[in-house]
């Protein structure tokens, strides 16, 4: 339940002058100024979605994976215990909406032992 009342929003325009807008409580979140100012970068949103998938999947929960996203391309880095775990991480990342491509640079302890 939202409380009714006035909320004052102050935004600086491109020349540094402040504009003041009065909104009722709750409407600030829907105003164009608010949305324009706080819209999240799509790559950051995708990175959050990838981490959500990794945290949701019990097969890979707690794995130490470095995730980087550039223009929808997800790069995975880190060392995992097995090839099965590496494949499970990639499957989890594929479930994230907006992934254009996956660059899997994950290594496994099995590979390190074979060298």
């Amino acid at each position: 339940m939202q409380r009714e009342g006035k909320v004052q929003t102050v935004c600086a325009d491109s020349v540094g002058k402040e504009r003041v807008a009065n909104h009722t409580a709750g409407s600030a979140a829907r105003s164009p100024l608010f949305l324009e100012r706080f819209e999240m970068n799509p790559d950051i949103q995708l990175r959050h979605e990838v981490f959500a998938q990794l945290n949701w999947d019990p097969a890979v929960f707690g794995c130490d994976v470095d995730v980087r996203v550039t223009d929808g391309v997800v790069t995975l880095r880190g060392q995992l215990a097995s090839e099965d775990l590496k494949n499970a991480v990639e499957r989890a990342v594929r479930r994230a909406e907006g992934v254009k491509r996956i660059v899997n640079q994950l290594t496994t302890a099995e590979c390190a032992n074979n060298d």
Side-chain angles (χ1 to χ4, degrees), residues 38-48 69:
F38 294 103
E39 192 170 314
M40 192 180 288
N41 179 317
D43 286 339
I44 294 172
Q45 286 179 320
L46 180 54
R47 187 170 186 262
H48 285 288
V69 180

Side-chain angles (χ1 to χ4, degrees), residues 28-104:
R30 293 183 297 271
S31 76
L33 291 174
F34 182 85
L35 294 175
E36 177 183 309
R37 198 160 178 217
F38 294 103
E39 192 170 314
M40 192 180 288
N41 179 317
D43 286 339
I44 294 172
Q45 286 179 320
L46 180 54
R47 187 170 186 262
H48 285 288
E49 175 64 22
V50 167
F51 277 118
Q53 291 299 328
L54 292 173
N55 288 329
W56 177 82
D57 192 332
V60 298
F61 180 77
C63 288
D64 188 20
V65 177
D66 178 36
V67 177
R68 297 180 187 196
V69 180
T70 305
D71 297 327
V73 177
V74 178
T75 302
L76 305 171
R77 293 183 182 148
Q79 186 170 8
L80 301 174
S82 69
E83 193 69 29
D84 289 339
L85 194 53
K86 178 180 172 180
N87 293 331
V89 167
E90 189 168 334
R91 278 193 308 273
V93 172
R94 286 191 191 285
R95 285 193 303 264
E97 189 175 323
V99 174
K100 293 180 182 175
R101 197 175 88 198
I102 298 173
V103 178
N104 191 339

Side-chain angles (χ1 to χ4, degrees), residues 12-33:
D13 63 14
S14 60
V15 292
K17 295 180 185 173
E18 290 184 345
R19 291 184 299 181
V20 177
N22 289 312
H23 304 281
T24 58
S27 68
R30 293 183 297 271
S31 76
L33 291 174

Side-chain angles (χ1 to χ4, degrees), residues 2-8 22-27:
Q2 289 185 337
R3 294 176 23 201
E4 288 298 320
K6 292 287 184 180
V7 176
Q8 195 173 57
N22 289 312
H23 304 281
T24 58
S27 68

